[in-house]
Amino acid sequence: MIHSNAERGASLVDLCDLSFDNSFVRELPADSLLRNVPRAVRNACYTRVEPTPVPAPQLLAWADPVGEMLGALPPDSSTGPVAEVLGGNRVLPGMQPYAARYGGHQFGQWAGQLGDGRAITLAEVVSPDGMRHDLQLKGAGRTPYSRTADGRAVLRSSVREYMCSEAMHYLGVPTTRALSLVATGEAVVRDMFYDGNPQAEPGAVVCRVAPSFVRFGNFEILADHEELDALKRLADYVIGTHFPELGAPSPATYARWFEEICWRTATMIAEWMRVGFVHGVMNTDNMSILGLTIDYGPYGWLEGYDPRWTPNTTDAQWRRYCYGNQPQIALWNLARLGVALAPLIEDKTALENGLAVFGETYERASHRMLADKLGLVSLDWEGDDHLLSDLFELLQEVETDMTLFFRLLAALPVESAADTADDSGLVEPLRRAFYTDEAFAPAQRSRLGGWLRRYIARVRQEQGGVPASERIERMNRANPKYVLRNYLAQQAIDALERGDAAYMARLMAVLQHPYDEQPRHDELADRRPEWARHKPGCSALSCSS
Ligand code: AMP
Ligand code: MG
C-alpha cells in the first residue's frame, strides 16, 4: 500500500503539493466567534476551527484510487508530512479548515444543534477532471459542535467507515469515499456496551472525501432559527456548486432541486436494499443533500434475510431504522427537508410533488433491481407479485443468507434439470445460503422446491431467445458475491489492533471487485460463522464510536 517513488504515476503529485480551494468558507456566512468551546452558534453555516494535533500520527491505510481521483500520489512514508496532514497535525497553505453547523431529527425528534462535533473539513481539492472534493477529517478533535463529547474516534469505528465507504463505492452505491486511515497514538475512552465499563481504545482519524458533506440538517437548523438569509445562501451555494444544471436560483429552481434530491435519495435507498445494507442511524443529520451514503456508524449487512433486522443496539426496541423501514424513513426525512426548504418555495404543492417523485422513483428502481436480482426482464407479468411475496416469506421461514441466496440462484439448472429434478435436487445448489438444516426438512424442502419450480417456469417463459449466459451475467451484476459482512469487518479490526494490516488489505482488494468470482477468496463470501452470531461488532453494534 505504501509505494516507492519508482511506482508513482506520472501526473500525480504529493498530497502536500496539491492546490486547495475553500468555496464553502468563501461563499457562506461564517460564525462571527472563533472560540473553540461547545456553544450554540447563530447566523452561520460553519465555524473556522483547526484540528487538534495528536501525539503520533501513523498512516495505516491509503486508498490508491481515491488518491488518484484527487491527483495525489501514495505517500512513501507512513509517518511523514502526509500522515501529519491526515492526522490533523499540520494544516497546509491554502487550507481553511472549518466545522459545519447543522441540526437534525434524531429517532423522529428534533434534536436542535448538532454540527460537526468531531469532523473538520480541511479544504476542497479540484481534481484533474474538474470535480470538487472536500477533504474531511473525522476524529480531528473538539469543535464548537462537540457538545459534551471529546471530538475523537476509535480505531474500530474508523476502520469500519474506511472499509465500508470504499466497499459501497465498488458495489455501485452512491457514497462518500475514504482516502486514509491514520492511527493517532492516543487512547480514546469509550463505554462500548453502555454498561458503565469505559475502556481505553486506540484512536484514529479517517480522511473522508466527497463533493460535499452537506446534510439535510444543515438546512433544518437555519430554518428552525428562521435564519432565512443564510438558508437561501446555503441553497444557492449548493445548487450553484453541485447542481449547476438546474439554473439560476428561483422558487421554481428550488422546487426542481428538491425533486432531484428526492430522486437521488430514492435511487440510493433502492441500492441499499439491493445489496442488503442497513445504515442503522438514518437521522436527518446523516442524510446527504447529494444523495450519498454518509456517516458510517452502527451500520450492518443483512445476513439472514429479515426486514426487521437492525444492527444498531440503540434501535433494538423500536427498530425504526431496520432494513425494511429504510425507504419509508428516507421519505420521512425528505419531508423534514421539505419543511426546512419551504420558506424558499412559494408553491407548496411543489414539495408534495417532490415527495411523490420519491415514491415513484423508489417503486420503479426497486422493481428494476428485484427483476435484475431474479434475472427477469421485468416484474409486471401476472403472478409476479405473488412470486415475489412468496419468496420473501420463504427467505424468512428458515434463516437464509440474502447475499448467498441471490448469488446462488443464478446457478440453478433452469434449462436442464428442472423438469426431472426432485425437491432435493432443486434446493441443493442453494445449500450454502441456509444457516440451519431446517431448509432440508421435508416440508420446507417441498415449499422451497415448489417456489423454485414456479421461478424456473417464469424464467423459461420470458427467456425466449436470450441465452442463459446473458441472464446469468445480468444476475451476477445485481447480486454481489462479496459484501463487507459484519464479522469480516470485525476480523479486520482485530487484526489491525494486533498490528497486522494484511487482512484488511486483502479484504479491501477483494471488495474492489464484489461481483467477480475470485475463487481464491471464496471463504470471504461464506455465510456468517456461528461464533460470530452474538459476538459484539459481528452482529450488533452500539453507537459508541
Ligand atoms: P452521529 O450519531 O455519529 O451521526 O453523531 C451525531 C452528532 O454527534 C454529530 O453532531 C457528531 O458530530 C456528534 N458526535 C458524535 N461523536 C462525537 C464525539 N466523539 N465528539 C464530538 N462530537 C461527536
Ligand atoms: Mg452523523
Side-chain angles (χ1 to χ4, degrees), residues 27-350:
E27 293 185 29
L28 293 170
D31 181 4
S32 56
L33 300 179
L34 287 174
R35 269 187 329 127
N36 190 2
V37 292
R39 58 194 164 83
V41 174
R42 291 285 183 270
N43 292 305
C45 290
Y46 66 90
T47 305
R48 284 292 309 278
V49 57
E50 303 229 329
T52 305
V54 298
Q58 187 200 348
L59 192 64
L60 297 179
W62 164 279
D64 285 337
V66 181
E68 270 166 39
M69 180 174 82
L70 301 171
L73 283 166
D76 44 24
S77 159
S78 62
T79 53
V82 171
E84 286 184 21
V85 173
L86 297 175
N89 285 22
R90 186 195 284 212
V91 173
L92 294 169
M95 290 179 159
Q96 299 182 349
Y98 69 89
R101 175 179 175 227
Y102 56 79
H105 280 84
Q106 298 187 314
F107 295 93
Q109 305 293 326
W110 175 243
Q113 177 179 300
L114 300 166
D116 286 333
R118 56 173 166 175
I120 295 179
T121 301
L122 293 176
E124 300 150 19
V125 174
V126 182
S127 61
D129 62 2
M131 291 282 292
R132 194 171 283 274
H133 305 279
D134 285 1
L135 301 186
Q136 183 178 81
L137 303 186
K138 182 166 172 181
R142 284 205 181 90
T143 77
Y145 308 97
S146 299
R147 295 177 288 161
T148 58
D150 59 7
R152 294 301 186 191
V154 291
L155 180 65
R156 66 182 151 79
S157 69
S158 307
V159 172
R160 285 170 50 82
E161 171 133 24
Y162 177 80
M163 293 188 68
C164 198
S165 45
E166 287 305 284
M168 291 282 270
H169 170 75
Y170 290 103
L171 283 164
V173 184
T175 179
T176 64
R177 306 286 302 269
L179 172 66
S180 61
L181 175 67
V182 170
T184 58
E186 182 178 73
V188 176
V189 176
R190 290 287 181 271
D191 186 355
M192 181 170 154
F193 303 107
Y194 296 131
D195 63 357
N197 283 306
Q199 304 263 324
E201 298 186 49
V205 175
V206 171
C207 180
R208 311 196 283 193
V209 177
S212 169
F213 287 94
V214 170
R215 303 131 193 277
F216 293 5
N218 296 65
F219 297 92
E220 288 180 279
I221 190 81
L222 300 174
D224 187 63
H225 288 275
E226 296 182 28
E227 297 169 16
L228 300 187
D229 177 55
L231 179 72
K232 181 170 175 348
R233 283 176 67 184
L234 182 61
D236 293 353
Y237 168 77
V238 168
I239 293 171
T241 312
H242 302 289
F243 299 83
E245 67 283 2
L246 295 178
S250 72
T253 303
Y254 300 133
R256 280 204 306 281
W257 173 49
F258 183 61
E259 276 187 19
E260 173 70 18
I261 299 163
C262 291
W263 184 89
R264 289 196 192 189
T265 305
T267 308
M268 172 189 78
I269 300 285
E271 293 286 279
W272 289 4
M273 303 305 278
R274 173 174 68 83
V275 299
F277 176 78
V278 188
H279 183 285
V281 210
M282 287 178 71
N283 294 330
T284 55
D285 52 302
N286 291 336
M287 297 291 292
S288 147
I289 206 72
L290 301 185
L292 305 172
T293 312
I294 192 173
D295 273 15
Y296 291 88
Y299 67 82
W301 293 82
L302 261 199
E303 287 166 328
Y305 179 83
D306 174 6
R308 299 248 309 139
W309 185 72
T310 172
N312 183 355
T313 50
T314 311
D315 196 27
Q317 188 179 2
W318 301 108
R319 298 180 185 271
R320 177 179 173 87
Y321 298 142
C322 68
Y323 175 74
N325 276 3
Q326 296 188 119
Q328 103 194 38
I329 291 292
L331 178 61
W332 190 88
N333 289 342
L334 284 162
R336 304 287 74 72
L337 177 66
V339 169
L341 300 182
L344 304 176
I345 301 175
E346 282 150 23
D347 174 11
K348 302 300 179 245
T349 59

Side-chain angles (χ1 to χ4, degrees), residues 303-417:
E303 287 166 328
Y305 179 83
D306 174 6
R308 299 248 309 139
W309 185 72
T310 172
N312 183 355
T313 50
T314 311
D315 196 27
Q317 188 179 2
W318 301 108
R319 298 180 185 271
R320 177 179 173 87
Y321 298 142
C322 68
Y323 175 74
N325 276 3
Q326 296 188 119
Q328 103 194 38
I329 291 292
L331 178 61
W332 190 88
N333 289 342
L334 284 162
R336 304 287 74 72
L337 177 66
V339 169
L341 300 182
L344 304 176
I345 301 175
E346 282 150 23
D347 174 11
K348 302 300 179 245
T349 59
L351 294 170
E352 281 151 36
N353 293 343
L355 297 176
V357 165
F358 175 89
E360 292 151 19
T361 308
Y362 182 73
E363 187 75 10
R364 218 176 320 113
S366 165
H367 259 74
R368 181 68 262 143
M369 74 82 177
L370 285 170
D372 289 341
K373 286 182 87 66
L374 290 168
L376 297 170
V377 174
S378 76
L379 273 174
D380 42 25
W381 290 28
E382 209 186 317
D384 281 354
D385 286 349
H386 281 297
L387 191 73
L388 271 184
S389 54
D390 290 350
L391 169 63
F392 288 117
E393 222 171 85
L394 276 169
L395 292 183
Q396 287 175 78
E397 274 171 14
V398 295
E399 197 181 10
T400 309
D401 191 272
M402 172 178 162
T403 303
L404 281 166
F405 181 89
F406 280 102
R407 183 78 184 185
L408 295 173
L409 204 57
L412 225 57
V414 168
E415 280 69 31
S416 53

